Amino acid sequence: MGVTLSEAAAKHVSGFITKRGKGIGIRLGVKTSGCSGMAYKLEFADAPEPDDIVFESHGLKLLIDPKSLPYLDGTELDYTREGLNEGFKFINPNVKDQCGCGESFTV
């Protein structure tokens, strides 16, 4: 299945990479955290790590560590604006439940 970016997320990431002046894409992962058990990690990537699994979407690389892939497989990362709020939204088909604040999830 893989991991993808929506067009809106790709435009947002591309804009940040341009402002930074370097980067090949973003690194996604999960960590143990929050009231539901797991939380997403998201950071800019300048180069792949040796173990990274690399997907491409809209000309950008998405780097995933092998331990996170089972939790992220099939996920689309979107960028949304709702009123005054804007940010990344993970559309993850593996999520069974998430906490009320939306910061952590269970698979």
Side-chain angles (χ1 to χ4, degrees), residues 2 13 20 24 49 65 68 82 85 88 94:
V13 171
R20 286 180 78 224
I24 61 168
E49 297 291 331
D65 69 88
S68 294
E82 296 173 8
N85 298 317
F88 288 105
N94 304 304

Side-chain angles (χ1 to χ4, degrees), residues 35-101:
C35 51
S36 290
M38 304 187 96
Y40 296 108
K41 298 186 301 186
L42 176 66
E43 62 187 17
F44 289 100
D46 296 328
E49 297 291 331
D51 292 347
D52 282 340
I53 299 164
V54 181
F55 298 99
E56 285 211 29
S57 183
H58 297 282
L60 295 167
K61 294 190 184 316
L62 294 114
L63 304 126
I64 316 290
D65 69 88
K67 291 181 182 177
S68 294
L69 185 59
Y71 304 105
L72 296 173
D73 198 23
T75 296
E76 180 184 46
L77 183 60
D78 193 12
Y79 190 82
T80 61
R81 291 183 184 188
E82 296 173 8
L84 298 175
N85 298 317
E86 62 182 282
F88 288 105
K89 179 179 179 182
F90 291 83
I91 303 166
N92 185 341
N94 304 304
V95 171
K96 302 293 183 228
D97 196 18
Q98 63 185 21
C99 68
C101 64

